[in-house]
Amino acid sequence: MTSPAERYAAARDKASHPETEAFAARQKFDLDPFQIEGCHALERGHSVLVAAPTGAGKTIVGEFSIHLAMQTPRDKAFYTTPMKALSNQKFRELVEVYGADQVGLLTGDTNINGNARIVVMTTEVLRNMIYADSAGLADLRYVIMDEVHYLADRFRGAVWEEVIIHLPSAVRLVSLSATVSNAEEFGDWLDTVRGNTEVIVSEIRPVPLEQHVLVRNDLLPLFDDRAGIATATVNQELMRIRSSTGSRYDSNKRAQSYNSNRHAGRQGPRPKRGDGRPARSANIQRIERMDRPDVIQLLERTNLLPAIFFIFSRVGCDAAVQQVRRSGLRLTNAEERAEIREIVEERTRSLQDEDLGVLGYFDWLENLERGVASHHAGLLPAFKEVVEELYRRKLVKVVFATETLALGINMPARTVVLEKMEKFNGEARVAITSGEYTQLTGRAGRRGIDVEGHAVVQWTEGMDPQAVAALASRRTYPLNSSFRPTYNMAVNLIDMFGRPRARQVLESSFAQFQADRAVVGLARQVREAEESLSGYVKAMECEHGDFLDYAGIRRELSDLEKKNKQDSHAPRVARDKRLKRMQSLRTRMQRHGCHGCPDRESHARWAERYWKLKRQTDRTRKEIDTRTGTVARVFDRVVEVLATLDYVTGTGDDIALTDAGRTMRRIYGERDLLVAESLRQGLWKGLDAPSLAAMACCLVYEPRRDEANSGERGLPRGAFRSAYEKTTDLWAELDDLEQHYHLPGSEPLAAGLAGAMHAWARGALLDRVLIDADMAAGDFVRWAKQTIDLLDQLSIVAEDITIARTARQALDGVRRGIVAYSTM
């Protein structure tokens, strides 16, 4: 029981935070301490960084800021996410709470009620609004940045930093992050650039996670029950299995059923050892893996469904579903199957009948009715949304997914199964990281439903239980900036602030903050070394003269003597010059006052230490020079490229944008400079709408690493080929210019999808286009959406009216069929 003093303190705390108390009363669950702490900070008018495990309920703090905004007549709240799928999901959730008239959605290809007081959007949309000084920013009070650890993404991470730096100072920032090991460092930076930011870190999962290893059909605890995860003491039985080479191990079975009389909605106890069965052979080389249908049945018997099986391959996910189907396994009853069919038909009603067969609709539906599905980026977005909904409704019981499912989608499971502890990264098979393991297994355990979640790692040949235990016990990973100035960023900053202020803005980035933190440590090393150097100088003081000067002569002479021995084949002129210098040094040394000092060699030992430490210190000073102002120096190189191409005019700090630079302000993406130059040089004049769509696709498409270069094969004919060749030549020129200014440059254009996009924009049927593209429908839709984003920019920024009109026609040609259906 709590004491009277504790009850009084709690009552006083509630009274001082009435909005938190009112908000908490409306929630389904009691708020956890870290959630209350975050809400209190916001109620005090501060920004917050909340770092907590997956599934811990970080978004509650973001939703509280929306609650605060809605208590006023005019305040707005923006909720940003890294992915359109997350934006769509959050939009639907907020509509349920506040109503459709109060909530909007902006994701680049979707614009719903954009002037609402609550707007969900991708982070890029908010960045673009800031640079355009959008009227929609008026009365903005709160910005929630969900999954803010995406700041580390090397392709898109800079956008997060741009938003954080440029948001008006009156806006309170709610940053929601997975647990990272340097949350305090990130919070310090947020406090520096935003002011008044409180850092709230929670390591506690609301639903405890039990870790298992599946050996044959035995679920063995990963950790010793008596030690627990905190000590990372691995189950010794697993270690015996690993070291076993022909010996036997006790295969005592886990209990394969739960007490049927347990309270409904709660799972039974964790499987325990002890059925007394005799030991059997367990040569590690011959341990057979259970087939997937058998694993699913084991999980079903032990009440560990629903489950997500993470398979790091799209093909593997689809093959797993087919394997379950061939086994005849069915996880649903007649009522559930009828409900599944009703939901699927309702959600896919807008798809054209001729496309359903191409998309494998009927096989997909039959698998869903069995309670099984796959989930990966190659799946049509509409199909993925159906899978997510059916899983949340407990109608689909098993999902085979790639790791993309772990990125924030609301699909918690009772059990997560990892079939392998490695994945293919495009070049080689690599072990998953502790951060990836935490993210994947974080899906296990449904708050309010499960008393505990379960992570199951399936035994593979050569598995090291200690390595798995290390992954499972290490909860954090560092957040490192990937920020670098782009051409679009540079022209926007110059236009908004001028060059000197732009450099200062960039120096406030997290990238520079982290570099400066490193510099602080290096500077400390230099200061300590300088103290030691002063001591060495004092130790070699000589009454006969300046021993440091004498030691310098000796050192130079010694270096030349070594070089003379090693470089005996040098040209005669060089050798004579060196010998002459050596003779001069010997004469100076012999005439120096310190040469006759009786303590000369003692002083010389101190001098040797001095010169060795001085060399190290000079290297450290050089490293400091290269780190300090790193981001600003890259910005200067970007500006030099822009000046060379006449996007800016003027000299030194007194520069301004030209007309071309003002056009560049509204061009976003990896190829901003190439797009701007192509428009300015008129390379795309004369292209019809399908050809312009194909060209835009070449600029955004990124082929797989294993995809062969198709060359000219499949390229649209006519004007497109000439425009493509000119654009490729321009890319090569710009790449040479960037190399000259020590910038990284960009990848060549990729035309692998040009023919398929041209055909699609021309009205070709889906089956023909997917054959030409040689890719899954979901992948084609993703690249089509990115093509639409670029075409939309062209329709706005192109000064040539014909190109602008053609871009709009091309956009309409691409946004049809499954692409149009998948915009939500």
Side-chain angles (χ1 to χ4, degrees), residues 355 358-360 378 380 753 756 759-760 764-781 818:
D355 291 343
V358 178
L359 297 170
L380 189 70
L753 194 55
W760 178 253
L765 295 176
L766 179 63
D767 59 347
R768 151 84 190 281
V769 171
L770 293 183
I771 290 172
D772 289 348
D774 189 26
M775 66 175 52
D779 290 322
F780 178 75
V781 168
I818 62 170

Side-chain angles (χ1 to χ4, degrees), residues 268-518:
R270 192 176 44 157
K272 301 292 183 183
R273 297 182 53 195
D275 65 355
R277 291 180 60 182
R280 63 176 175 235
S281 176
N283 187 317
I284 190 172
Q285 303 299 326
R286 294 188 283 108
I287 290 180
E288 297 177 2
R289 289 165 60 91
M290 292 181 72
D291 289 337
R292 291 188 182 107
D294 295 331
V295 175
I296 293 171
Q297 288 180 307
L298 171 63
L299 297 178
E300 184 180 30
R301 287 195 304 271
T302 51
N303 198 24
L304 294 182
L305 294 182
I308 297 172
F309 285 65
F310 281 110
I311 301 174
F312 303 112
S313 156
R314 300 179 188 181
V315 174
C317 290
D318 293 336
V321 172
Q322 295 307 312
Q323 183 183 7
V324 174
R325 179 177 176 176
R326 287 193 302 271
S327 74
L329 183 62
R330 193 181 295 277
L331 303 172
T332 55
N333 57 37
E335 290 181 2
E336 290 173 327
R337 289 194 288 276
E339 188 177 353
I340 289 170
R341 180 174 287 273
E342 181 181 349
I343 292 171
V344 171
E345 290 177 350
E346 171 65 26
R347 298 293 185 271
T348 59
R349 185 173 296 164
S350 300
L351 290 173
Q352 299 175 15
D353 290 343
E354 61 267 25
D355 291 343
L356 294 179
V358 178
L359 297 170
Y361 169 85
F362 300 102
D363 285 344
W364 174 68
L365 175 57
E366 182 178 340
N367 293 328
L368 291 177
E369 290 180 341
R370 290 178 176 274
V372 182
S374 62
H375 188 290
H376 54 71
L379 201 63
L380 189 70
F383 284 13
K384 281 199 293 187
E385 290 171 13
V386 170
V387 171
E388 292 161 13
E389 180 178 353
L390 294 177
Y391 192 82
R392 287 194 293 270
R393 292 192 182 202
K394 307 176 189 176
L395 295 171
V396 165
K397 314 298 173 66
V398 172
V399 170
F400 296 97
T402 57
E403 66 266 37
T404 55
L405 186 146
L407 302 176
I409 298 293
N410 182 23
M411 282 183 66
R414 174 165 292 177
T415 304
V416 163
V417 180
L418 300 181
E419 294 190 346
K420 294 181 179 179
M421 301 298 290
E422 62 180 20
K423 66 177 185 177
F424 185 69
N425 66 358
E427 295 178 348
R429 300 207 67 83
V430 296
I432 63 172
T433 65
S434 61
E436 289 168 333
Y437 184 92
T438 301
Q439 192 85 352
L440 296 170
T441 58
R443 290 282 145 214
R446 299 164 299 175
R447 190 168 188 173
I449 302 174
D450 300 322
V451 295
E452 60 190 17
H454 293 263
V456 176
V457 176
Q458 198 162 6
W459 185 276
T460 56
E461 184 177 339
M463 175 183 286
D464 180 3
Q466 291 280 19
V468 178
L471 289 178
S473 59
R474 196 160 45 235
R475 289 283 180 231
T476 58
Y477 48 98
L479 176 62
N480 294 313
S481 173
S482 60
F483 184 84
R484 64 177 180 83
T486 65
Y487 298 105
N488 169 271
M489 186 192 305
V491 294
N492 275 289
L493 289 176
I494 291 168
D495 191 54
M496 292 168 69
F497 305 117
R499 185 173 187 172
R501 172 68 179 134
R503 294 180 96 259
Q504 293 175 14
V505 168
L506 293 171
E507 287 174 344
S508 68
S509 67
F510 187 44
Q512 191 59 57
F513 185 83
Q514 288 189 306
D516 290 343
R517 280 289 179 95

Side-chain angles (χ1 to χ4, degrees), residues 22 182 205 238:
N182 59 335
R205 281 178 48 99
L238 291 172

